[in-house]
Amino acid sequence: MKLTLLSLPKIRARKWIGSIILVLGAYTAIDQFVVLLQQHSQVRYAFYAGVVAAAATAMGALPALFLHRLSQKLHDVMLGFGAGVMLAACMFSLIIPALALLEGSGASPWYSSSSVGVAILLGGAFMLVLERLVPHQHFIKDEDRLRGQTLRRSWLFVFAIALHNIPEGLAIGASFASGDVSAATALTTGISIQDIPEGLVVAMALLAVGYSRLLAVSIAVLSGLTEPVMAVIGSVVLGESSLLLPLGLALAAGAMLFVISHEMIPESHRQGHELAATKGLMLGFVLMMLLDTALA
């Protein structure tokens, strides 16, 4: 008992020291981040664009506080729409600019195409590895199996949504690192537009498996924070090297293509609304194409 009482001051001292170190570390990290934003305009713009995309996700999630249920058909149309926007973004905002950058540097068409193709495959492989390594729960695919159960591991859903948003944030960061503000703005606009229904779909899916309205909306809102973080990482890494930039654009495209094919399109077709989902995909694709060509 005496040993326990004597050890209490030491335990408290360690906790205080640990807390001070944590606060100092957080302060230093924030200070360096502010300096980074001040010194590098492309990083600053990428961060702001990521925040806009995150805000769009939050805006889309808010109606879940009042809606009772989202019809399955509308749910699938929204998924298809988001897939169409991302598909067009891959083509017009990432792959074509990557090819143009390589050819503009003097590379042959064969070398440019093969390099971009390999980078696309690596982007898909990157998402595949993340999906296998990071514990997560498919927030749409497992909805029927989990309906009515009390889910205590909310972080599994958070990881699933974060994985889904990683390529979007990387795409924003890579686009701003290229220096083409108009194209990057078009990409950010398209991603933000598709993030609005995505936020609602995520929140409603969480509601369907037993989460409270406030918790479901909160998780959906927080999921959007992945995008500004990945946008900063993408702009910092790719902004340092003109050789890495086109490959980074193609890598982000491959990651987005993986998410589109592996999750969004199959889920939009799962309940028998293939035609409605396809219409949504085509509408999203055309809208993103118009945004890219009009704002570029």
Side-chain angles (χ1 to χ4, degrees):
M1 187 68 176
K2 292 182 178 179
L3 290 175
T4 303
L5 292 174
L6 290 174
S7 64
L8 283 177
K10 293 182 179 180
I11 295 174
R12 290 173 181 172
R14 290 175 182 174
K15 288 183 177 180
W16 274 104
I17 294 173
S19 299
I20 292 172
I21 293 174
L22 183 63
V23 170
L24 290 176
Y27 173 80
T28 302
I30 293 173
D31 181 66
Q32 292 300 312
F33 178 68
V34 171
V35 171
L36 179 66
L37 294 182
Q38 292 174 341
Q39 294 180 348
H40 300 278
S41 59
Q42 80 275 9
V43 178
R44 183 168 65 252
Y45 294 148
F47 174 70
Y48 293 157
V51 170
V52 170
T57 302
M59 184 171 63
L62 289 178
L65 291 172
F66 313 102
L67 292 177
H68 177 66
R69 182 173 175 79
L70 193 65
S71 73
Q72 188 62 49
K73 187 174 182 178
L74 179 58
H75 177 281
D76 293 339
V77 169
M78 293 166 69
L79 277 178
F81 176 82
V85 170
M86 291 177 68
L87 192 60
C90 289
M91 179 60 68
F92 297 105
S93 299
L94 299 174
I95 295 176
I96 291 177
L99 290 169
L101 285 171
L102 283 174
E103 292 179 3
S105 65
S108 67
W110 274 105
Y111 177 81
S112 300
S113 298
S114 59
S115 298
V116 168
V118 170
I120 290 173
L121 294 176
L122 288 176
F126 170 70
M127 290 303 298
L128 177 61
V129 170
L130 279 182
E131 188 187 60
R132 297 291 173 83
L133 293 180
V134 178
H136 65 284
Q137 193 77 51
H138 288 277
F139 57 92
I140 298 173
K141 185 181 297 182
D142 294 338
E143 178 181 324
D144 291 337
R145 182 173 63 83
L146 296 171
R147 192 186 305 275
Q149 297 181 14
T150 302
L151 301 177
R152 298 181 179 180
R153 294 188 174 182
S154 301
W155 54 271
L156 292 177
F157 284 92
V158 176
F159 281 151
I161 302 163
L163 287 176
H164 181 89
N165 287 336
I166 283 175
E168 296 177 13
L170 283 176
I172 291 174
S175 187
F176 275 98
S178 69
D180 190 341
V181 177
S182 296
T185 301
L187 175 66
T188 302
T189 303
I191 289 178
S192 299
I193 289 173
Q194 75 93 23
D195 275 344
I196 295 175
E198 179 181 288
L200 180 59
V201 167
V202 169
M204 296 305 292
L206 293 172
L207 278 175
V209 295
Y211 284 99
S212 67
R213 291 185 182 273
L214 183 59
L215 182 57
V217 171
S218 298
I219 292 175
V221 169
L222 290 175
S223 72
L225 298 181
T226 308
E227 294 185 63
V229 173
M230 297 310 299
V232 169
I233 292 174
S235 62
V236 169
V237 173
L238 300 178
E240 297 297 324
S241 173
S242 58
L243 296 176
L244 287 177
L245 180 57
L247 300 181
L249 289 169
L251 190 80
M256 290 177 70
L257 285 172
F258 179 89
V259 172
I260 294 168
S261 178
H262 183 66
E263 183 172 335
M264 299 183 74
I265 292 178
E267 290 306 322
S268 68
H269 290 192
R270 188 167 62 93
Q271 297 293 334
H273 301 127
E274 296 92 344
L275 181 58
T278 300
K279 291 178 180 177
L281 184 146
M282 295 183 70
L283 178 62
F285 186 94
V286 171
L287 176 61
M288 183 63 208
M289 182 190 68
L290 291 174
L291 286 172
D292 195 278
T293 55
L295 295 178

mmCIF file of all heavy atoms in Angstrom, residues 13 15 38-39 42 88 93 130 139 144 157 164 172 183 202 207 212 239 241 254-255 261 272 286:
data_model
loop_
_atom_site.group_PDB
_atom_site.id
_atom_site.type_symbol
_atom_site.label_atom_id
_atom_site.label_comp_id
_atom_site.label_asym_id
_atom_site.label_seq_id
_atom_site.Cartn_x
_atom_site.Cartn_y
_atom_site.Cartn_z
ATOM 1 N N ALA A 13 3.265 12.883 -12.245
ATOM 2 C CA ALA A 13 4.330 13.660 -12.888
ATOM 3 C C ALA A 13 4.544 13.201 -14.322
ATOM 4 O O ALA A 13 4.712 14.023 -15.242
ATOM 5 C CB ALA A 13 5.625 13.525 -12.093
ATOM 6 N N LYS A 15 2.329 11.804 -16.241
ATOM 7 C CA LYS A 15 1.173 12.241 -17.029
ATOM 8 C C LYS A 15 1.300 13.715 -17.417
ATOM 9 O O LYS A 15 1.014 14.103 -18.554
ATOM 10 C CB LYS A 15 -0.117 12.008 -16.248
ATOM 11 C CG LYS A 15 -0.516 10.537 -16.129
ATOM 12 C CD LYS A 15 -1.838 10.394 -15.407
ATOM 13 C CE LYS A 15 -2.271 8.928 -15.343
ATOM 14 N NZ LYS A 15 -3.560 8.772 -14.636
ATOM 15 N N GLN A 38 2.187 29.494 -45.830
ATOM 16 C CA GLN A 38 2.603 30.842 -46.182
ATOM 17 C C GLN A 38 3.669 30.851 -47.264
ATOM 18 O O GLN A 38 3.699 31.739 -48.121
ATOM 19 C CB GLN A 38 3.119 31.569 -44.932
ATOM 20 C CG GLN A 38 2.039 31.871 -43.905
ATOM 21 C CD GLN A 38 2.606 32.457 -42.626
ATOM 22 O OE1 GLN A 38 3.808 32.339 -42.342
ATOM 23 N NE2 GLN A 38 1.758 33.095 -41.838
ATOM 24 N N GLN A 39 4.551 29.873 -47.260
ATOM 25 C CA GLN A 39 5.694 29.863 -48.173
ATOM 26 C C GLN A 39 5.404 29.204 -49.512
ATOM 27 O O GLN A 39 6.108 29.468 -50.499
ATOM 28 C CB GLN A 39 6.889 29.174 -47.514
ATOM 29 C CG GLN A 39 7.446 29.920 -46.309
ATOM 30 C CD GLN A 39 8.630 29.212 -45.691
ATOM 31 O OE1 GLN A 39 8.920 28.064 -46.007
ATOM 32 N NE2 GLN A 39 9.315 29.901 -44.790
ATOM 33 N N GLN A 42 0.992 26.754 -53.829
ATOM 34 C CA GLN A 42 0.245 25.596 -54.340
ATOM 35 C C GLN A 42 -0.252 24.722 -53.196
ATOM 36 O O GLN A 42 -1.334 24.128 -53.283
ATOM 37 C CB GLN A 42 1.104 24.767 -55.312
ATOM 38 C CG GLN A 42 2.104 23.826 -54.691
ATOM 39 C CD GLN A 42 3.427 24.501 -54.354
ATOM 40 O OE1 GLN A 42 3.527 25.728 -54.445
ATOM 41 N NE2 GLN A 42 4.422 23.723 -53.992
ATOM 42 N N ALA A 88 -14.910 11.022 -64.920
ATOM 43 C CA ALA A 88 -14.527 12.130 -65.799
ATOM 44 C C ALA A 88 -13.319 12.878 -65.244
ATOM 45 O O ALA A 88 -12.448 13.316 -66.006
ATOM 46 C CB ALA A 88 -15.708 13.083 -65.973
ATOM 47 N N SER A 93 -8.991 15.590 -65.856
ATOM 48 C CA SER A 93 -8.202 16.387 -64.918
ATOM 49 C C SER A 93 -6.905 15.718 -64.487
ATOM 50 O O SER A 93 -6.044 16.394 -63.910
ATOM 51 C CB SER A 93 -9.042 16.686 -63.664
ATOM 52 O OG SER A 93 -10.193 17.428 -63.997
ATOM 53 N N LEU A 130 -4.010 -0.882 -49.219
ATOM 54 C CA LEU A 130 -4.620 -0.191 -48.085
ATOM 55 C C LEU A 130 -5.872 -0.912 -47.614
ATOM 56 O O LEU A 130 -6.110 -1.064 -46.409
ATOM 57 C CB LEU A 130 -4.964 1.250 -48.465
ATOM 58 C CG LEU A 130 -3.850 2.281 -48.432
ATOM 59 C CD1 LEU A 130 -4.399 3.654 -48.781
ATOM 60 C CD2 LEU A 130 -3.172 2.325 -47.071
ATOM 61 N N PHE A 139 -19.245 0.378 -45.478
ATOM 62 C CA PHE A 139 -20.410 1.022 -44.878
ATOM 63 C C PHE A 139 -21.662 0.890 -45.721
ATOM 64 O O PHE A 139 -22.756 1.146 -45.258
ATOM 65 C CB PHE A 139 -20.126 2.504 -44.613
ATOM 66 C CG PHE A 139 -19.720 3.291 -45.818
ATOM 67 C CD1 PHE A 139 -20.660 3.943 -46.580
ATOM 68 C CD2 PHE A 139 -18.384 3.381 -46.175
ATOM 69 C CE1 PHE A 139 -20.282 4.674 -47.675
ATOM 70 C CE2 PHE A 139 -18.005 4.116 -47.277
ATOM 71 C CZ PHE A 139 -18.945 4.767 -48.033
ATOM 72 N N ASP A 144 -27.030 -4.607 -45.086
ATOM 73 C CA ASP A 144 -28.095 -5.575 -44.808
ATOM 74 C C ASP A 144 -27.699 -6.531 -43.697
ATOM 75 O O ASP A 144 -28.500 -6.869 -42.827
ATOM 76 C CB ASP A 144 -28.411 -6.365 -46.083
ATOM 77 C CG ASP A 144 -29.070 -5.503 -47.141
ATOM 78 O OD1 ASP A 144 -29.664 -4.481 -46.749
ATOM 79 O OD2 ASP A 144 -28.991 -5.845 -48.333
ATOM 80 N N PHE A 157 -16.048 2.076 -39.562
ATOM 81 C CA PHE A 157 -16.719 2.841 -40.595
ATOM 82 C C PHE A 157 -15.888 4.065 -40.981
ATOM 83 O O PHE A 157 -15.820 4.439 -42.149
ATOM 84 C CB PHE A 157 -18.102 3.282 -40.112
ATOM 85 C CG PHE A 157 -19.115 2.179 -40.132
ATOM 86 C CD1 PHE A 157 -19.315 1.394 -39.016
ATOM 87 C CD2 PHE A 157 -19.861 1.921 -41.262
ATOM 88 C CE1 PHE A 157 -20.243 0.372 -39.028
ATOM 89 C CE2 PHE A 157 -20.796 0.898 -41.281
ATOM 90 C CZ PHE A 157 -20.989 0.125 -40.164
ATOM 91 N N HIS A 164 -12.004 5.698 -48.800
ATOM 92 C CA HIS A 164 -12.736 6.153 -49.980
ATOM 93 C C HIS A 164 -12.318 7.561 -50.384
ATOM 94 O O HIS A 164 -12.284 7.894 -51.585
ATOM 95 C CB HIS A 164 -14.229 6.109 -49.660
ATOM 96 C CG HIS A 164 -15.103 6.533 -50.796
ATOM 97 N ND1 HIS A 164 -15.566 5.653 -51.742
ATOM 98 C CD2 HIS A 164 -15.590 7.745 -51.150
ATOM 99 C CE1 HIS A 164 -16.307 6.304 -52.631
ATOM 100 N NE2 HIS A 164 -16.341 7.573 -52.281
ATOM 101 N N ILE A 172 -6.757 16.245 -55.734
ATOM 102 C CA ILE A 172 -6.773 17.704 -55.559
ATOM 103 C C ILE A 172 -5.357 18.229 -55.370
ATOM 104 O O ILE A 172 -4.942 19.211 -56.000
ATOM 105 C CB ILE A 172 -7.664 18.091 -54.365
ATOM 106 C CG1 ILE A 172 -9.138 17.809 -54.684
ATOM 107 C CG2 ILE A 172 -7.478 19.570 -54.012
ATOM 108 C CD1 ILE A 172 -10.079 18.019 -53.515
ATOM 109 N N ALA A 183 -7.542 24.197 -64.104
ATOM 110 C CA ALA A 183 -7.869 22.774 -64.122
ATOM 111 C C ALA A 183 -8.076 22.246 -62.708
ATOM 112 O O ALA A 183 -8.977 21.435 -62.458
ATOM 113 C CB ALA A 183 -6.758 21.994 -64.823
ATOM 114 N N VAL A 202 -23.467 8.372 -47.017
ATOM 115 C CA VAL A 202 -22.726 7.821 -45.882
ATOM 116 C C VAL A 202 -23.535 7.954 -44.596
ATOM 117 O O VAL A 202 -23.681 7.005 -43.824
ATOM 118 C CB VAL A 202 -21.361 8.530 -45.737
ATOM 119 C CG1 VAL A 202 -20.702 8.149 -44.408
ATOM 120 C CG2 VAL A 202 -20.442 8.167 -46.896
ATOM 121 N N LEU A 207 -27.130 5.476 -40.451
ATOM 122 C CA LEU A 207 -28.431 5.451 -39.779
ATOM 123 C C LEU A 207 -29.112 4.099 -39.962
ATOM 124 O O LEU A 207 -29.726 3.573 -39.032
ATOM 125 C CB LEU A 207 -29.333 6.548 -40.344
ATOM 126 C CG LEU A 207 -29.157 7.961 -39.817
ATOM 127 C CD1 LEU A 207 -30.055 8.923 -40.580
ATOM 128 C CD2 LEU A 207 -29.461 8.025 -38.329
ATOM 129 N N SER A 212 -27.183 6.612 -34.108
ATOM 130 C CA SER A 212 -28.054 7.745 -33.853
ATOM 131 C C SER A 212 -27.831 8.792 -34.944
ATOM 132 O O SER A 212 -26.796 8.796 -35.624
ATOM 133 C CB SER A 212 -27.746 8.364 -32.484
ATOM 134 O OG SER A 212 -26.455 8.957 -32.474
ATOM 135 N N GLY A 239 4.881 18.656 -55.610
ATOM 136 C CA GLY A 239 5.346 19.994 -55.950
ATOM 137 C C GLY A 239 6.856 20.129 -55.912
ATOM 138 O O GLY A 239 7.422 21.090 -56.445
ATOM 139 N N SER A 241 9.010 17.997 -57.289
ATOM 140 C CA SER A 241 9.675 17.371 -58.426
ATOM 141 C C SER A 241 8.774 17.408 -59.652
ATOM 142 O O SER A 241 7.654 16.896 -59.630
ATOM 143 C CB SER A 241 10.037 15.917 -58.109
ATOM 144 O OG SER A 241 10.532 15.253 -59.250
ATOM 145 N N GLY A 254 -5.409 6.323 -60.873
ATOM 146 C CA GLY A 254 -5.543 4.881 -60.645
ATOM 147 C C GLY A 254 -6.243 4.568 -59.336
ATOM 148 O O GLY A 254 -7.070 3.647 -59.263
ATOM 149 N N ALA A 255 -5.923 5.335 -58.288
ATOM 150 C CA ALA A 255 -6.574 5.128 -56.994
ATOM 151 C C ALA A 255 -8.065 5.410 -57.090
ATOM 152 O O ALA A 255 -8.902 4.679 -56.536
ATOM 153 C CB ALA A 255 -5.924 6.026 -55.943
ATOM 154 N N SER A 261 -14.549 1.338 -59.536
ATOM 155 C CA SER A 261 -14.869 -0.003 -60.008
ATOM 156 C C SER A 261 -15.110 -0.996 -58.883
ATOM 157 O O SER A 261 -15.973 -1.868 -58.985
ATOM 158 C CB SER A 261 -13.733 -0.516 -60.907
ATOM 159 O OG SER A 261 -13.983 -1.834 -61.342
ATOM 160 N N GLY A 272 -30.669 -3.817 -58.089
ATOM 161 C CA GLY A 272 -31.480 -3.930 -59.288
ATOM 162 C C GLY A 272 -31.824 -2.623 -59.973
ATOM 163 O O GLY A 272 -32.715 -2.593 -60.833
ATOM 164 N N VAL A 286 -20.821 13.798 -67.733
ATOM 165 C CA VAL A 286 -20.984 14.953 -68.614
ATOM 166 C C VAL A 286 -20.823 16.256 -67.838
ATOM 167 O O VAL A 286 -20.189 17.213 -68.311
ATOM 168 C CB VAL A 286 -22.361 14.902 -69.319
ATOM 169 C CG1 VAL A 286 -22.643 16.199 -70.056
ATOM 170 C CG2 VAL A 286 -22.400 13.727 -70.286
#
